[in-house]
C-alpha cells in the first residue's frame, strides 16, 4: 500500500467528523465575541473543510468551523467562520435576508408555531366553521415558506397546515384540515394571516399502522427466521478518524448536520497501489416539490438539506431492525441549536453483505465451472424529516463499483381529495388525497480518478443508417463527446441512447493506452416538472438537469446556494456556471440530479413501502482486466472437480 498524500493520517485528521471539544471551544469564542447571546440559536455548525489544493499539497492547517446563527429576538442572522486553534473569529457576515436567503429552520420554530396559532382568533374561527372545537386535537404543521410575498419581505415565515389527531396515539396525517393556510412570523411570534381558501371535508378513516388494535396482531404464517452470521467478524476495520479499510477499498466516513454522510478519499487497491476514485462525495441538496397548484399548496417545496439540515434528523439505528448482520455503528456528533454538544448514538451503520453472483461461467469447451459471490460494504444512515423518512445507502462492491441508493419511506403528505378525477393528487383512502410530488436529490461528486485533474465525456449508443459503411444496416456504434465547459456540461439523461458520463484522467492510461475512467450511470427519471418561470424552478435550478460539472471551488458546496430558506432563487449552480468555466482536464466536481416522481399509490398508505432512487459509478478502463479474479470461491462451491479438489459437504467441517 502506498502513502499517497490523500491517504495520510494528517489529511484524515483534517477531514474527520466534528468532535465535542471543538464545538465547545468554538462556542466559547462566539460567546466571548458577542456573536452568541442568550437569544441566539445555532442553526448550523460544521467543519469548514480546508481547501483541497493546500491540503493535498501537504500544508495541513488547523481546523476551522462554520456557524450559521440567528438571534430569535431580532431575526438578525450571521454566517461565521471560527478557529479554535487560533482562538479567534475568522469572518462574520450579516445576512441581508431579503436577498441572501435565511439560515436553516431551527427546532424551536416548530414548537413555537402551534402555540402561536392555537391562540389566533382567525384560525379558531376557521376551525369552528368546520366543526373543529377541541383545540387539543389540532396539530399545526409548520412548513418552510418558499418565496416571500411583497408584505412578507425580510420576515422569517412558516406556512402552516392543520391536521386532526383524534387521540395522542392517532396518526394525524390521516386527517388533514385542507384549505386553511396560516402564515406565521416566527421572530415576531405572530400570525400574519389566515387564508381560508376552500372548505373541504376532513377525511375520517384512521391510518394507525403502528397500533395492533387497528392493524391486527402481526402474523404472517410460515415466515421462519433468517439469520446472518459472520462467525469470524466483519472484514472491515475502522479507525478513530472514520477511515475504513475493506477488501481493498479505503474511504473516510464523516457526518455533517446538513449533508449527513460525507465520504472522503475513496480509493481502491490495484496490485498494491491504492488508487483514488473520489475526493469527496455527499448528498449536497434535496428538494420535494409538490405538483398540486391549488392556492393553499403552491408553496410546498421542501429542501430537506438546505432548509431543514437533514443530517440533524438522523435516526439512532437499532441492530436487527434497521441493519442486520455484523454491524458497526458510528455516532454522529453535532451542535444543538443552543450551541451544546449533541451526540446521535448509532447514526451511521456500516456492514458488509452478500450481493449475489459476482461472475459465473461453465465452459462447454474446457469443462471448467466457476462462480464467485459478490459482496459489498454498506455505509448508511436514515433520517426522518417531518412525514417522510429517507435512508441513504452507499455501496462499495468487490468489482470496483460504487452505488448510491436512497430509500424513501414513511408517510406521504396528505390532502383532502376533492374528487372528480382531480388531476394533481391520488386518492389513498376515502376522501384522503396525496398530492403528486417529486423527490429530487443532488449528489455532489468531487472525483479524483487517479488524480485531481479529470475530464467528462458523454457516451451514448448511436444508430448507423444503412450505407456504404454499413451495407447490411446491422451496424451500431458509440459516440464519445467531451464536455469542455460548464455550459456544455449541463445535460439530460437519455435512456433511449444509453447515455452515460465517463469521468477519466487524460494523463493516466490503462494497459491498452486509453485514459483510466469511471462511468456515471444515471437512472434517467424525470427532472423538475415545474414551469421555467415558476419560483421553484428558480430556487431549485439544480433539479432541471441530470448533470452539471464545475471546476472545484472550496466555497461551492450547495447546488441551491448556502441559504436556501426563503431564498428568492438563482443561487448555487446557475450562478456559478454562468461564468462557463473550463472543465476539461481540470480539478472538477460532478453534480448529479436523480430521484423519484411520485404518483402515490393506494399501497403507499398509511405507511409507504420503500421506494428507491440512485445511481451507479462504475470503473471503465480503470483496471487492466476484471479486477475480481483474485476473489476466492465460497467455501461450499469449490470449482472442485476440474481442479482436483475434494468437494466439501455441509457438516464435514469441525
Ligand atoms: Ni413521495
Amino acid at each position: 500500500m502506498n502513502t499517497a498524500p490523500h491517504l495520510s493520517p494528517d489529511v484524515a485528521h483534517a477531514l474527520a467528523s466534528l468532535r465535542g471539544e471543538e464545538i465547545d471551544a468554538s462556542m466559547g469564542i462566539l460567546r466571548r465575541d458577542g456573536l452568541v447571546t442568550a437569544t441566539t440559536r445555532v442553526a448550523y455548525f460544521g467543519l469548514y473543510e480546508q481547501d483541497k489544493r493546500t491540503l493535498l499539497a501537504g500544508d495541513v492547517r488547523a481546523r476551522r468551523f462554520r456557524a450559521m446563527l440567528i438571534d430569535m429576538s431580532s431575526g438578525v442572522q450571521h454566517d461565521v467562520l471560527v478557529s479554535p486553534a487560533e482562538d479567534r473569529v475568522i469572518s462574520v457576515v450579516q445576512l441581508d435576508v431579503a436577498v441572501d436567503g435565511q439560515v436553516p429552520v431551527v427546532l424551536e420554530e416548530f414548537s413555537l408555531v402551534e402555540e402561536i396559532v392555537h391562540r389566533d382568533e382567525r384560525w379558531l374561527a376557521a376551525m369552528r366553521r368546520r366543526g373543529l372545537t377541541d383545540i387539543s386535537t389540532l396539530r399545526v404543521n409548520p412548513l418552510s415558506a418558499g418565496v416571500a410575498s411583497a408584505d412578507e419581505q425580510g420576515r422569517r415565515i412558516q406556512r402552516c397546515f392543520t391536521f386532526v389527531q383524534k387521540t395522542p396515539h392517532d396518526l394525524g396525517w390521516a386527517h388533514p384540515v385542507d384549505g386553511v393556510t396560516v402564515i406565521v412570523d416566527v421572530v415576531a411570534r405572530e400570525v400574519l394571516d389566515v387564508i381560508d381558501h376552500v372548505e373541504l371535508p376532513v377525511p375520517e378513516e384512521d391510518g394507525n399502522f403502528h397500533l395492533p388494535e387497528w392493524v391486527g396482531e402481526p402474523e404472517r404464517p410460515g415466515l421462519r427466521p433468517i439469520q446472518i452470521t459472520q462467525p469470524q467478524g466483519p472484514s472491515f476495520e475502522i479507525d478513530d478518524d472514520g477511515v475504513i479499510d475493506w477488501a481493498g477499498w479505503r474511504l473516510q466516513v464523516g457526518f455533517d448536520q446538513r449533508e449527513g454522510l460525507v465520504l472522503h478519499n475513496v480509493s481502491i487497491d490495484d496490485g498494491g497501489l491504492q488508487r483514488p476514485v473520489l475526493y469527496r462525495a455527499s448528498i449536497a441538496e434535496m428538494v420535494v416539490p409538490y405538483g398540486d397548484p391549488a392556492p393553499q399548496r403552491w408553496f410546498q417545496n421542501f429542501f430537506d438539506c438546505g432548509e431543514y439540515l437533514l443530517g440533524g434528523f438522523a435516526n439512532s439505528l437499532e441492530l436487527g431492525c434497521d441493519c442486520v448482520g455484523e454491524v458497526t455503528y458510528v455516532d454522529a456528533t453535532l451542535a444543538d441549536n443552543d450551541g451544546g454538544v449533541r451526540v446521535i448514538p448509532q447514526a451511521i451503520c456500516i456492514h458488509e453483505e452478500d450481493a449475489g453472483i459476482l461472475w459465473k461461467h461453465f465452459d462447454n469447451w474446457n469443462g471448467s465451472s466457476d462462480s464467485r459471490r459478490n459482496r459489498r460494504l454498506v455505509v448508511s444512515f436514515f433520517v426522518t424529516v417531518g412525514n417522510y423518512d429517507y435512508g441513504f445507502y452507499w455501496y462499495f462492491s468487490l468489482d470496483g463499483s460504487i452505488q448510491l441508493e436512497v430509500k424513501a419511506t414513511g408517510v406521504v403528505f396528505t390532502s383532502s381529495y376533492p374528487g372528480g378525477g382531480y388531476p394533481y393528487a391520488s386518492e389513498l383512502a376515502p376522501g384522503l388525497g396525496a398530492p403528486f410530488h417529486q423527490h429530487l436529490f443532488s449528489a455532489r461528486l468531487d472525483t479524483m480518478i487517479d488524480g485531481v485533474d479529470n475530464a467528462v465525456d458523454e457516451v451514448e449508443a448511436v444508430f448507423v443508417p444503412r450505407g456504404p459503411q454499413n451495407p447490411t444496416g446491422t451496424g451500431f456504434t458509440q459516440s464519445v463527446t467531451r464536455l469542455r465547459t460548464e455550459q456544455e456540461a449541463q445535460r439530460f439523461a437519455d435512456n433511449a441512447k444509453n447515455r452515460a458520463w465517463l469521468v477519466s484522467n487524460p494523463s493516466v492510461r490503462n494497459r491498452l493506452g486509453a485514459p483510466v475512467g469511471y462511468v456515471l450511470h444515471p437512472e434517467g427519471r424525470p427532472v423538475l416538472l415545474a414551469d421555467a418561470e415558476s419560483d421553484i424552478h428558480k430556487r431549485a435550478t439544480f433539479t432541471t438537469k441530470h448533470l452539471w460539472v464545475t471546476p472545484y471551488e472550496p466555497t461551492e458546496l450547495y447546488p441551491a446556494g448556502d441559504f436556501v430558506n426563503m431564498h428568492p432563487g438563482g443561487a448555487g449552480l446557475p450562478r456559478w456556471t454562468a461564468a462557463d468555466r473550463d472543465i476539461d482536464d481540470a480539478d472538477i466536481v460532478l453534480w448529479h440530479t436523480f430521484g423519484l416522481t411520485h404518483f402515490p399509490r393506494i399501497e403507499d398508505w398509511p405507511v409507504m413501502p420503500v421506494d428507491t432512487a440512485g445511481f451507479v459509478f462504475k470503473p471503465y478502463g480503470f483496471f487492466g482486466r476484471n479486477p475480481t479474479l483474485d476473489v476466492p470461491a465460497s467455501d461450499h462451491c469449490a470449482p472442485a472437480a476440474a481442479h482436483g479438489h475434494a468437494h466439501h459437504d455441509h457438516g464435514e467441517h469441525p
Side-chain angles (χ1 to χ4, degrees):
M1 201 166 286
N2 68 343
T3 50
H6 62 288
L7 298 176
S8 85
D10 286 350
V11 167
H13 211 61
L15 298 171
S17 294
L18 286 181
R19 301 175 192 102
E21 59 270 25
E22 293 174 325
I23 298 170
D24 288 338
S26 299
M27 289 306 150
I29 296 164
L30 297 177
R31 288 196 182 97
R32 180 194 68 200
D33 288 9
L35 286 159
V36 169
T37 68
T39 51
T40 305
R41 299 293 171 265
V42 180
Y44 168 81
F45 185 86
L47 175 68
Y48 187 75
E49 288 179 21
Q50 184 183 333
D51 189 322
K52 169 194 188 182
R53 293 165 291 204
T54 54
L55 184 61
L56 295 185
D59 176 14
V60 181
R61 299 173 188 176
R63 283 155 64 91
R64 292 178 171 183
F65 303 91
R66 185 179 193 183
M68 297 179 183
L69 308 171
I70 176 167
D71 185 331
M72 289 303 289
S73 66
S74 63
V76 171
Q77 305 178 29
H78 289 109
D79 182 16
V80 180
L81 275 188
V82 57
S83 170
E86 298 161 72
D87 191 31
R88 69 186 181 103
V89 169
I90 306 286
S91 65
V92 183
V93 176
Q94 182 174 334
L95 302 190
D96 175 354
V97 296
V99 178
D100 300 331
Q102 305 209 19
V103 302
V105 174
V106 298
L107 287 177
E108 77 180 45
E109 292 176 65
F110 293 121
S111 41
L112 261 179
V113 155
E114 185 163 292
E115 224 179 285
I116 296 167
V117 172
H118 273 188
R119 290 194 301 259
D120 188 84
E121 266 312 317
R122 293 160 290 181
W123 175 81
L124 287 165
M127 294 301 117
R128 274 196 302 273
R129 273 198 290 285
R130 291 162 171 79
L132 302 169
T133 50
D134 182 356
I135 306 305
S136 71
T137 65
L138 299 179
R139 297 283 74 77
V140 179
N141 180 213
L143 301 166
S144 58
V147 174
S149 66
D151 48 354
E152 294 166 353
Q153 286 297 325
R155 289 178 178 269
R156 191 167 169 91
I157 304 290
Q158 296 273 335
R159 301 187 205 280
C160 309
F161 291 166
T162 308
F163 292 80
V164 178
Q165 189 183 15
K166 295 176 180 173
T167 69
H169 299 293
D170 187 38
L171 185 79
W173 303 109
H175 316 297
V177 184
D178 199 351
V180 181
T181 310
V182 188
I183 300 161
V184 179
D185 181 326
V186 290
V187 172
R189 302 188 176 211
E190 61 176 352
V191 174
L192 296 183
D193 202 0
V194 177
I195 308 168
D196 197 341
H197 296 277
V198 53
E199 196 166 326
L200 292 161
V202 179
E204 288 280 337
E205 189 176 286
D206 293 341
N208 292 321
F209 62 89
H210 58 300
L211 298 179
E213 60 268 33
W214 193 79
V215 183
E217 286 300 325
E219 184 189 13
R220 181 76 66 122
L223 280 187
R224 299 185 179 123
I226 294 177
Q227 282 173 354
I228 295 162
T229 57
Q230 291 183 275
Q232 298 172 34
S235 320
F236 60 84
E237 289 173 12
I238 180 166
D239 74 10
D240 289 344
D241 285 326
V243 177
I244 301 177
D245 275 295
W246 176 79
W249 283 104
R250 176 178 281 194
L251 55 130
Q252 184 177 14
V253 172
F255 200 84
D256 177 74
Q257 186 184 357
R258 184 161 183 161
E259 301 168 277
L261 267 178
V262 176
L263 306 177
H264 277 107
N265 290 315
V266 178
S267 64
I268 187 165
D269 173 77
D270 182 15
L273 190 67
Q274 202 66 30
R275 298 174 61 192
V277 177
L278 295 167
Y279 176 73
R280 189 185 193 277
S282 69
I283 294 297
E285 190 56 87
M286 67 164 286
V287 62
V288 187
Y290 282 77
D292 181 354
Q296 70 270 33
R297 221 184 307 289
W298 62 270
F299 70 90
Q300 266 193 286
N301 302 297
F302 310 125
F303 291 75
D304 287 345
C305 288
E307 290 174 338
Y308 291 115
L309 306 185
L310 63 81
F313 294 101
N315 294 174
S316 284
L317 301 169
E318 284 178 56
L319 183 61
C321 311
D322 302 307
C323 297
V324 294
E326 280 292 320
V327 172
T328 296
Y329 292 106
V330 177
D331 298 345
T333 299
L334 304 171
D336 65 23
N337 289 156
D338 293 321
V341 176
R342 172 178 168 236
V343 175
I344 305 175
Q346 306 197 161
I348 304 169
C349 169
I350 302 167
H351 71 289
E352 59 184 330
E353 61 190 26
D354 183 276
I357 294 290
L358 173 62
W359 52 262
K360 176 175 170 61
H361 181 60
F362 166 70
D363 195 88
N364 275 311
W365 288 346
N366 69 21
S368 69
S369 176
D370 286 270
S371 84
R372 298 292 184 275
R373 290 203 70 80
N374 197 9
R375 63 169 81 186
R376 60 191 184 186
L377 178 75
V378 186
V379 183
S380 68
F381 73 111
F382 235 105
V383 301
T384 302
V385 188
N387 53 307
Y388 255 105
D389 302 72
Y390 298 100
F392 297 84
Y393 288 68
W394 289 92
Y395 301 121
F396 298 88
S397 292
L398 293 179
D399 68 355
S401 57
I402 299 171
Q403 182 183 355
L404 175 71
E405 184 174 64
V406 178
K407 305 188 185 201
T409 178
V411 181
V412 296
F413 204 97
T414 53
S415 59
S416 180
Y417 187 73
Y422 189 66
Y424 302 112
S426 308
E427 188 175 22
L428 298 188
L432 181 72
F436 301 156
H437 58 276
Q438 298 184 282
H439 305 256
L440 298 170
F441 302 86
S442 177
R444 183 181 182 278
L445 303 171
D446 184 342
T447 63
M448 192 176 176
I449 310 294
D450 269 335
V452 293
D453 287 344
N454 291 168
V456 182
D457 292 299
E458 182 163 283
V459 182
E460 59 187 32
V462 177
F463 169 81
V464 180
R466 187 190 289 259
Q469 301 302 316
N470 182 25
T472 59
T474 49
F476 68 91
T477 187
Q478 193 176 40
S479 72
V480 179
T481 309
R482 177 62 48 92
L483 306 175
R484 289 165 308 181
T485 69
E486 289 180 297
Q487 297 286 331
E488 280 184 25
Q490 294 173 16
R491 304 298 300 160
F492 293 107
D494 186 349
N495 287 351
K497 293 180 175 167
N498 210 38
R499 185 177 288 169
W501 296 292
L502 167 64
V503 187
S504 68
N505 186 328
S507 308
V508 180
R509 306 267 158 169
N510 62 30
R511 69 189 183 99
L512 302 182
V516 296
Y518 259 71
V519 169
L520 174 63
H521 294 275
E523 288 179 341
R525 293 196 258 188
V527 293
L528 183 73
L529 291 164
D531 185 87
E533 294 305 313
S534 62
D535 289 328
I536 186 60
H537 198 284
K538 293 170 190 150
R539 300 182 68 224
T541 309
F542 76 91
T543 63
T544 63
K545 302 280 164 48
H546 289 104
L547 182 75
W548 306 70
V549 184
T550 58
Y552 168 80
E553 264 305 320
T555 54
E556 296 180 0
L557 288 170
Y558 311 118
D562 287 13
F563 301 100
V564 179
N565 193 12
M566 302 197 72
H567 196 287
L573 280 172
R575 178 167 301 163
W576 307 327
T577 59
D580 202 20
R581 295 166 294 185
D582 183 28
I583 53 162
D584 187 6
D585 198 4
D587 183 356
I588 53 171
V589 175
L590 277 71
W591 309 76
H592 175 42
T593 303
F594 64 93
L596 299 166
T597 295
H598 192 181
F599 301 102
R601 308 171 299 155
I602 295 179
E603 291 85 351
D604 290 336
W605 182 255
V607 65
M608 176 186 155
V610 162
D611 202 352
T612 62
F615 62 87
V616 177
F617 198 51
K618 250 187 185 179
Y620 189 91
F622 184 79
F623 296 104
R625 61 179 188 182
N626 180 343
T628 64
L629 300 184
D630 58 345
V631 173
S634 326
D635 248 7
H636 296 289
C637 70
H643 306 290
H645 294 282
H647 182 74
H648 294 281
D649 279 325
H650 260 297
E652 284 182 2
H653 292 281

